[in-house]
Amino acid sequence: MSPIVGPTVLVVEDDSGMRDVLARGLRRDGFEVITAADGHAAMAVTKRPDAIVLDIGLPDSDGRDLCLALRARGVDAPIIFVTARGNSVDRLSGFAAGGDDYLTKPFELAELVARLRAMLRRGRLTTADAAPDRALRVDAPTHQLMCGSQTVRLPPTEYRLLAHLLAASGTVVRRADLRAVGWPAGAMVSDNTLDQFIAKLRRRLTQVGSDEAIRVVRGVGYVLR
Ligand code: CA
């Protein structure tokens, strides 16, 4: 008699004690669990999880940058961020980065399981046309933009804007959404500033020899394709 295989959860957490507790607890609740201790390990996971538990404070990456990189490569599983209490990270920036839910440490395992089950029930609008074999990729720990063998390291804001455009997989991204992902909540970002960043990103794309370009959709935003 083979056991019923539950949904697969990827747990990205650098604290080994916490990681073990989560993995054991989730397995006991019927989940399949894959663990990763940092951003590099998470980027290397090949199995597509059904849900992701993502610590924001990783030794090599900001969890939100990792979320953007996973979304940019077509990972559309719901993501729940966990962060330490007292951390000044604002909730909004987690959602702007493509997260679906948010828990502050310490939390009860039962609470995490309830949130995971709710997210899995809701499912999400899958980006069926996401191209997994797309030439352009971003890496969270290094903030690199890659196209074939060409790489360029991006400053944080450029990384976040480009990763978000990539994650949209050919659909239009509103200017307000780019502001939310590139800058802290409440920051005043003029149209001119955003335009300057888009101009920089266009040069980066040329630099790595990308076929894709950022196009303006007048009155709406931008699209990368
Ligand atoms: Ca941590």
Side-chain angles (χ1 to χ4, degrees):
M1 198 171 67
S2 60
I4 296 161
V5 177
T8 300
V9 179
L10 168 62
V11 174
V12 189
E13 166 66 62
D14 58 304
D15 181 310
S16 61
M18 176 87 174
R19 196 170 61 240
D20 290 347
V21 165
L22 290 178
R24 263 203 312 272
L26 290 172
R27 285 190 183 114
R28 216 168 33 228
D29 263 287
F31 293 94
E32 289 278 299
V33 180
I34 312 170
T35 58
D38 58 22
H40 269 112
M43 293 295 296
V45 170
T46 49
K47 183 170 184 192
R48 286 178 83 93
D50 298 303
I52 301 172
V53 178
L54 184 45
D55 180 24
I56 284 188
L58 295 169
D60 65 346
S61 325
D62 184 307
R64 290 163 296 179
D65 288 346
L66 181 57
C67 180
L68 283 166
L70 293 171
R71 294 285 184 242
R73 67 151 66 161
V75 173
D76 57 7
I79 292 179
I80 181 162
F81 282 116
V82 293
T83 185
R85 188 182 293 282
N87 193 324
S88 64
V89 165
D90 59 275
R91 297 168 68 91
L92 283 174
S93 69
F95 294 118
D100 300 86
D101 204 348
Y102 206 94
L103 270 178
T104 304
K105 293 177 190 173
F107 54 83
E108 299 288 329
L109 184 72
E111 177 67 18
L112 175 64
V113 169
R115 305 271 192 109
L116 282 172
R117 293 210 188 283
M119 291 198 307
L120 289 165
R121 261 198 313 275
R122 279 199 299 275
R124 58 184 298 126
L125 299 169
T126 55
T127 47
D129 54 351
D133 56 350
R134 203 171 187 181
L136 281 175
R137 284 176 300 128
V138 286
D139 183 53
T142 59
H143 279 189
Q144 277 180 327
L145 169 67
M146 294 164 278
C147 185
S149 60
Q150 302 294 310
T151 63
V152 61
R153 194 188 176 96
L154 304 178
T157 303
E158 288 181 45
Y159 167 86
R160 287 167 193 148
L161 296 175
L162 190 66
H164 195 58
L165 284 162
L166 258 179
S169 63
T171 61
V172 180
V173 179
R174 294 181 310 136
R175 298 177 70 96
D177 293 338
L178 286 173
R179 283 195 191 92
V181 79
W183 288 271
M188 300 296 285
V189 183
S190 68
D191 278 353
N192 190 34
T193 300
L194 188 53
D195 289 341
Q196 283 168 7
F197 272 90
I198 294 295
K200 285 185 203 175
L201 290 177
R202 288 190 170 125
R203 289 196 290 275
R204 303 289 193 186
L205 289 167
T206 307
Q207 227 177 317
V208 296
S210 171
D211 292 338
E212 299 189 69
I214 300 171
R215 298 165 213 284
V216 177
V217 180
R218 208 153 289 287
V220 186
Y222 298 97
V223 62
L224 173 65
R225 63 179 165 226

